[in-house]
Amino acid sequence: MRGLVVAAGLCVLSALVLSGCSASSGVDALELAGPSGEVTSSITPRAPVPGATVPSATALAPSAVAVSEPAFEAADEARVTPAPVDVALARPENPAGPAARPENRRRIYAPRFGDAKPVNFGRASPDKFAVHGVDVSHWQQEIDWPALRTQGANFAFIKATEGGKHVDRLFRRNWDAARAAGIPTGAYHFFFWCRSAAEQADWFIRHVPKQPGALPPVLDVEWYGNKRSCPRKPPRSTVLAKMRVFSERIEAHYGQKPIIYTTPDFYEDNLRGQFKDHAFWLRSVAAHPRERYPNRGFAFWQYSGTGTARRGVETQIDLNVFNGTEDGWHSWLAQNLSR
């Protein structure tokens, strides 16, 4: 995924994840020295936070007021829910729950995507997967969603928020248009490590509608190169504690455990053996995920950041697959779409 500011110096972007904690409790209550360079919105949500109900994208740009914040908070894991029980997610095509009835199934379109920088995955090619999809942000500019669906966009993850003050300027347009085109759609939040997890969860809740038929929200966690506004990587204990706070708060509001999106380096540093009851969406653009994330099951694989389409979008686009069969996809949707 593209952060709004990676090493290029723009403001950090945005991903299966965590509710009940207030912004002043647990990991978000303790502070380390050092101000954050992030600018926060003048909107200060309090729990419970009202969900997004705005019918269009016109009023989503937040006003900004400079606020000094701690660089990142120290972990207080005594106040955080213990590590969850294990759930098998390696091939999420046989969930506990009824499969979708044939008459209610959405049509699956075969992928017709190209790639500006194709990779030979050998026998592990993503072409062998039945259900393909995309993830987008304002970087893709104008998208013809009905046309993109026919190219193989059978699901879409759309950037919604980043940190505690940024809303993707095309989020609501993309959200409404993708849903209208009949595409199962989810929103992702790009996590900013120098802001409280509870505040970021509340910011996401303010801007992402709670609507029936949506894919689970996504927590996008990765390292990034914005040394000026967030100069230090937090320790692993802080990373895990913040992720639990965010996930619990999101699940309490939407009734869905968030999907965790991550990258190989971040996973290696922080997530081995963690969040076993969350579905994972793994970035691996040079090899099958089993080579980059040993022993980690996954629901989605992002296999390219340089995809192309003949119709629907003119820019390059991120390409993904669901880790299962077509029948497995319909069963997964029946269990995981919001109600």
Side-chain angles (χ1 to χ4, degrees):
M1 297 184 186
R2 298 177 175 82
L4 194 58
V5 182
V6 195
L10 302 168
C11 217
V12 195
L13 176 157
S14 104
L16 92 329
V17 271
L18 313 227
S19 124
C21 299
S22 70
S24 61
S25 67
V27 64
D28 293 318
L30 305 179
E31 303 176 355
L32 298 181
S36 166
E38 191 191 17
V39 177
T40 188
S41 168
S42 59
I43 300 174
T44 306
R46 297 180 180 179
V49 178
T53 56
V54 183
S56 68
T58 56
L60 291 180
S63 58
V65 177
V67 175
S68 177
E69 284 206 344
F72 49 78
E73 298 81 358
D76 180 8
E77 300 208 53
R79 298 290 299 278
V80 180
T81 303
V85 297
D86 194 358
V87 173
L89 290 171
R91 293 286 284 186
E93 59 182 54
N94 295 305
R101 295 179 179 179
E103 62 270 21
N104 295 329
R105 291 186 172 191
R106 303 167 192 258
R107 177 177 175 181
I108 300 298
Y109 287 88
R112 298 180 179 178
F113 299 113
D115 203 313
K117 298 179 180 180
V119 171
N120 183 1
F121 290 93
R123 297 177 64 183
S125 171
D127 293 342
K128 298 180 182 298
F129 289 74
V131 183
H132 289 240
V134 300
D135 64 271
V136 304
S137 70
H138 71 275
W139 291 102
Q140 276 65 52
Q141 303 174 33
E142 297 293 327
I143 298 175
D144 181 340
W145 284 101
L148 190 61
R149 184 185 180 196
T150 67
Q151 301 302 291
N154 296 295
F155 59 85
F157 291 109
I158 299 172
K159 182 181 180 182
T161 53
E162 179 176 326
K165 63 112 182 173
H166 174 73
V167 180
D168 188 274
R169 61 183 176 83
L170 294 182
F171 165 66
R172 193 55 187 253
R173 181 193 299 179
N174 282 327
W175 176 268
D176 291 340
R179 286 174 60 87
I183 300 173
T185 303
Y188 73 84
H189 173 80
F190 188 92
F191 201 86
F192 185 70
W193 296 107
C194 294
R195 184 174 289 277
S196 83
E199 182 182 0
Q200 294 188 63
D202 291 348
W203 184 250
F204 182 89
I205 290 168
R206 291 181 73 87
H207 294 284
V208 177
K210 183 179 180 180
Q211 295 178 328
L215 295 172
V218 175
L219 171 57
D220 177 354
V221 286
E222 49 190 292
W223 295 134
Y224 47 88
N226 192 345
K227 300 296 185 180
R228 183 175 60 181
S229 63
C230 194
R232 292 183 294 160
K233 294 179 180 179
R236 183 173 184 266
S237 59
T238 298
V239 166
L240 297 178
K242 280 178 169 286
M243 288 178 64
R244 292 187 185 111
V245 169
F246 185 95
S247 180
E248 290 168 6
R249 205 169 185 90
I250 292 298
E251 184 178 3
H253 179 77
Y254 293 98
Q256 297 166 290
K257 196 178 294 294
I259 297 167
I260 296 175
Y261 170 93
T262 195
T263 59
D265 59 338
F266 187 91
Y267 180 85
E268 182 67 26
D269 289 346
N270 300 286
L271 295 178
R272 280 181 174 267
Q274 300 295 318
F275 293 96
K276 293 181 179 179
D277 67 340
H278 285 63
F280 271 69
W281 172 16
L282 303 177
R283 176 177 175 82
S284 185
V285 297
H288 190 281
R290 65 170 171 263
E291 298 184 30
R292 298 288 184 263
Y293 307 84
N295 302 314
R296 169 60 73 178
F298 61 98
F300 298 93
W301 169 20
Q302 184 187 76
Y303 65 88
S304 176
T306 55
T308 59
R310 294 181 180 179
R311 300 177 56 211
V313 63
E314 296 182 358
T315 66
Q316 293 180 8
I317 191 169
D318 292 344
L319 302 178
N320 306 269
V321 293
F322 169 73
N323 184 24
T325 64
E326 184 172 330
D327 286 343
W329 171 244
H330 293 299
S331 296
W332 192 91
L333 289 179
Q335 186 183 23
N336 290 282
L337 290 180
S338 60
R339 292 170 172 79

